Amino acid sequence: MDRAKKNHLIRIFVAIAVVYLAVLVLEFTLRPTSILFTVLRKGAIYSLVAVSMNLLNGFTGLFSLGQAGFMLLGAYTYAIFTMPVSVKESERVYRYYECIVGFDTGSFVGLIAAGLVAAFFAFLIGLPVLRLKSDYLAIATLGFAEIIRAIFQWDVLGPLTNGANLLREYKDLSRITLPFTDIPFPPTLFVFIVAGVCILLIVLLINSSFGRAFKAIRDDETAAEAMGINLFKHKELSFVISSFFAGVSGALLAAFQYTVQAQQFESMMTYEILLIVVIGGIGSISGSCIASFLYIALSEWWLRGLDMGKFLGISAPDLFRSGFRRLVFSVIIMVIVLFFSKGIMGDKELSFERMKAFVKRAGRKKKETAK
Amino acid sequence: MFEIKGLSVNYGGIEAVRDISFSVEEGTIVTLIGANGAGKSTTLRTIAGLVKPRTGRIEFMGEDITGKDPAYIVGKGITLVPEGRKIFPDLTVLENLKIGAYLRSDNIEGDIDWVFSLFPRLKERSWQYGGTLSGGEQQMLAVGRALMSRPKLMMMDEPSLGLAPLIVRDIFSIIREISKEGVTILLVEQNANMALQVADMGYVMETGRITLSGKGSDLISNDEVKKAYLGK
């Protein structure tokens, strides 16, 4: 490897290490109920699912809207796998049903299982659905997500899914411990590590020869086929891998929320993720991550006041009522789509060179306006 | 080396290719010429496996490859340079070349150098996105990409399409050069004049049938060809 490339990699790793260290420091200094943790955790979870969606929509050119469905599969798998047998046998969670799952696992196994279950379903669904193109694929995957949501609330599956009732008391973030000990794992760091490793795997995939084949399919299907790339096999591969990581992020979301209910995973959730991908830039991993933290910070924190009567020191309880936040949000989205149609990053990645150039440009502009 | 017997193909609801037969000898340049819609492109796409034939037999190095998958056919050593170049616009020049070698698991560094020596322009632009290249450069990239699979038979669909006359001349001199390196070439062209000048054998296609065949130099002086395709 040449030196410039090596230096570049070292800088990236240093930057990532700094972020993780900062998270750890925050975890020991701020009070655990701080809103910042909500933003960081949910932001990291949404980063992962947004990147997984980007792998499909941005890098393989498959417009799929099934993300919420795969997250649901992951969340339920994780909850059912990691709920202790004692809880399953008691009436605390499964009140109306006799739980048929007679085992429990640790959180790590739960995460992997969540991914595998989502991937398995993706494999089955992909067989018929991936022969469809663009709009039709989107409709079919959206339909699948809705069907899954309905099935999981179905009475007959109650002994497995607890019907339409909540699942809780599994290994949520407060119950995750360091391996082989009872010491609690710093929860935000846990989310960051899992999401970070998964995103790293996706980045490695995209930069491999498989990733190149995905991009070739996105650019021109006929030419890719003429080069000897098996279209169906590669689409299926991308779909299964994307769903695996959507499943893992669903599991993380379950751990983050302390409870799981199928009702929550509606199509609105997929649109939220799609929005993050579009805002970040279709085909940009770092864009998806930045956009997801921004989106979560806005919706969970900065714009909260719009629903609570007071925003930026202005008190107007009649105007700033529940739901007003969504209205403002819609306007922001329209502005972004109109004026930044390529998203924050376009299809480029964040790099030190780009940041330097940006700061330089901003500085020059400032000077010019000062004159 | 390569032989087609009684090939018929339905494409888009019409019988685009009707019972054609021809053969390509190893190391030669063979051209199919004809007007728009004569079935030339469909023939190439069928050989590449992108379209399935209705009847007929395609043989390559003694093996029946009729109706096989594109991946299998590329693996056997037949590559298509598609009509309109079809390079990958959002991949870099180097990535485009690597995709060409997608089915190979051996070392491709030597072949990248080989392609760069054939097309020095591509080397200068190896980090540029395919979509930012000029038409001529894109055609070079499409040819280079096809060469990356180390083909025994390279099929080219209208390499002169939409290019300036000077660049067309460059492309054809490169075709000759590639042929000298031992790659057999099957060339489809509307630019009959250029194609027949480089070709050892030529076939004239009209509405799905082969109506004339002969040595390139003979066809170029054939009265019918002259009248219909060379505008003389």
Side-chain angles (χ1 to χ4, degrees):
Chain A
M1 201 187 305
D2 56 288
R3 243 180 91 175
K5 218 169 175 183
K6 213 170 173 180
N7 279 338
H8 184 68
L9 275 180
I10 291 172
R11 270 192 289 183
I12 289 175
F13 277 114
V14 169
I16 292 172
V18 167
V19 169
Y20 278 74
L21 214 63
V23 167
L24 194 63
V25 169
L26 282 176
E27 207 131 38
F28 284 110
T29 50
L30 284 180
R31 68 195 153 76
T33 52
S34 166
I35 181 77
L36 189 62
F37 288 130
T38 308
V39 171
L40 286 177
R41 289 170 197 171
K42 210 171 170 188
I45 294 166
Y46 270 65
S47 293
L48 175 55
V49 67
V51 169
S52 83
M53 193 171 193
N54 213 339
L55 171 67
L56 210 54
N57 292 16
F59 289 94
T60 320
L62 295 171
F63 190 50
S64 151
L65 292 176
Q67 234 61 10
F70 295 113
M71 284 180 86
L72 180 147
L73 284 168
Y76 265 81
T77 307
Y78 180 79
I80 294 168
F81 265 59
T82 62
M83 190 187 298
V85 170
S86 59
V87 178
K88 283 174 185 154
E89 282 169 355
S90 74
E91 289 205 338
R92 291 210 299 279
V93 178
Y94 285 87
R95 188 168 300 162
Y96 309 103
Y97 306 98
E98 200 73 39
C99 181
I100 52 159
V101 182
F103 65 91
D104 58 49
T105 68
S107 49
F108 183 71
V109 176
L111 284 172
I112 301 280
L116 290 179
V117 168
F120 175 71
F121 273 81
F123 173 77
L124 291 184
I125 295 153
L127 293 177
V129 158
L130 288 179
R131 303 190 187 276
L132 303 173
K133 291 223 156 107
S134 59
D135 316 12
Y136 299 101
L137 177 65
I139 293 165
T141 45
L142 188 67
F144 148 75
E146 290 297 301
I147 291 167
I148 282 278
R149 190 163 61 91
I151 287 179
F152 267 66
Q153 299 184 64
W154 189 21
D155 259 0
V156 177
L157 286 181
L160 186 67
T161 63
N162 203 15
N165 307 304
L166 286 174
L167 287 177
R168 53 196 166 81
E169 294 198 38
Y170 48 84
K171 284 235 165 22
D172 53 47
L173 285 184
S174 66
R175 286 174 230 255
I176 289 171
T177 54
L178 287 167
F180 312 115
T181 61
D182 286 334
I183 309 163
F185 204 110
T188 312
L189 190 67
F190 177 78
V191 174
F192 264 70
I193 288 175
V194 175
V197 168
C198 290
I199 291 174
L200 179 71
L201 290 176
I202 296 176
V203 170
L204 290 178
L205 175 76
I206 286 170
N207 289 325
S208 73
S209 66
F210 281 114
R212 250 197 317 273
F214 292 162
K215 287 188 251 179
I217 291 173
R218 171 194 68 188
D219 276 9
D220 196 313
E221 283 199 3
T222 323
E225 201 180 6
M227 294 296 110
I229 295 171
N230 185 325
L231 293 184
F232 181 71
K233 213 170 86 188
H234 284 81
K235 285 180 181 177
E236 180 88 0
L237 187 72
S238 173
F239 191 55
V240 166
I241 292 173
S242 164
S243 304
F244 176 89
F245 290 112
V248 173
S249 80
L252 282 177
L253 191 68
F256 162 77
Q257 290 181 152
Y258 296 74
T259 61
V260 173
Q261 203 171 13
Q263 215 181 358
Q264 174 205 353
F265 295 88
E266 45 185 14
S267 52
M268 188 60 213
M269 197 163 178
T270 301
Y271 294 133
E272 249 178 9
I273 301 158
L274 180 64
L275 194 67
I276 290 173
V277 172
V278 172
I279 292 175
I282 292 172
S284 169
I285 300 285
S286 46
S288 288
C289 295
I290 295 168
S292 99
F293 280 103
L294 265 179
Y295 179 87
I296 298 296
L298 277 172
S299 70
E300 300 279 329
W301 189 8
W302 297 336
L303 297 183
R304 269 279 139 165
L306 291 175
D307 273 7
M308 313 280 233
K310 206 172 165 189
F311 183 67
L312 293 174
I314 307 161
S315 181
D318 287 339
L319 180 64
F320 295 160
R321 282 199 313 221
S322 196
F324 190 68
R325 183 173 50 134
R326 288 212 175 260
L327 197 108
V328 173
F329 224 99
S330 315
V331 174
I332 294 178
I333 291 158
M334 275 195 261
V335 169
I336 288 177
V337 172
L338 281 176
F339 296 104
F340 304 93
S341 55
K342 286 191 147 185
I344 304 172
M345 299 295 300
D347 56 2
K348 307 282 183 301
E349 294 297 342
L350 188 68
S351 69
F352 295 102
E353 286 73 35
R354 225 174 279 281
M355 277 192 319
K356 246 188 259 169
F358 180 78
V359 171
K360 233 185 217 166
R361 259 205 319 271
R364 210 179 303 143
K365 233 179 209 168
K366 216 172 184 181
K367 252 186 224 161
E368 272 166 25
T369 44
K371 273 180 203 166
Chain B
M1 170 201 205
F2 178 81
E3 203 171 3
I4 282 184
K5 288 177 195 154
L7 187 77
S8 295
V9 190
N10 286 356
Y11 192 57
I14 54 156
E15 201 175 16
V17 174
R18 301 173 196 186
D19 190 25
I20 63 166
S21 302
F22 67 91
S23 60
V24 178
E25 293 303 319
E26 186 155 5
T28 58
I29 302 179
V30 172
T31 183
L32 282 178
I33 58 172
N36 264 336
K40 311 182 300 288
S41 293
T42 306
T43 307
L44 289 200
R45 290 171 61 87
T46 311
I47 298 169
L50 296 167
V51 181
K52 304 284 176 241
R54 193 165 59 80
T55 55
R57 193 176 154 84
I58 306 169
E59 246 174 54
F60 181 59
M61 316 206 46
E63 189 190 339
D64 181 12
I65 56 163
T66 321
K68 290 268 198 292
D69 287 334
Y72 182 85
I73 290 168
V74 173
K76 279 284 152 200
I78 302 181
T79 334
L80 173 68
V81 182
E83 183 177 1
R85 308 184 265 281
K86 300 248 178 190
I87 52 128
F88 303 114
D90 291 327
L91 296 185
T92 65
V93 168
L94 193 63
E95 284 177 314
N96 264 282
L97 293 180
K98 284 182 178 168
I99 284 286
Y102 188 68
L103 288 177
R104 292 175 50 188
S105 48
D106 51 336
N107 195 355
I108 59 168
E109 293 299 322
D111 289 310
I112 291 178
D113 288 341
W114 174 51
V115 170
F116 280 161
S117 71
L118 279 174
F119 306 104
R121 279 286 264 293
L122 294 184
K123 189 174 187 178
E124 289 166 30
R125 298 176 191 262
S126 64
W127 289 104
Q128 240 171 279
Y129 285 109
T132 65
L133 300 182
S134 72
E137 289 163 348
Q138 287 190 7
Q139 187 62 57
M140 292 175 192
L141 180 56
V143 174
R145 185 180 64 180
L147 288 174
M148 285 303 293
S149 69
R150 273 281 172 191
K152 299 187 183 87
L153 172 68
M154 184 162 82
M155 304 189 289
M156 304 178 83
D157 198 348
E158 304 254 5
S160 73
L161 192 76
L163 297 181
L166 261 179
I167 297 169
V168 172
R169 204 170 298 162
D170 280 351
I171 295 284
F172 274 91
S173 76
I174 284 161
I175 292 173
R176 267 204 205 99
E177 207 168 312
I178 293 166
S179 165
K180 274 187 204 133
E181 302 251 352
V183 181
T184 310
I185 289 170
L186 176 57
L187 177 68
V188 151
E189 260 300 343
Q190 290 201 47
N191 189 338
N193 193 16
M194 279 306 245
L196 290 173
Q197 275 179 32
V198 299
D200 299 303
M201 266 300 275
Y203 295 89
V204 180
M205 270 187 97
E206 262 170 69
T207 56
R209 287 196 179 85
I210 291 179
T211 51
L212 261 176
S213 65
K215 281 189 177 161
S217 48
D218 291 348
L219 284 179
I220 222 168
S221 49
N222 181 300
D223 287 336
E224 276 178 63
V225 175
K226 266 187 191 165
K227 213 159 68 189
Y229 303 106
L230 303 178
K232 281 170 199 163

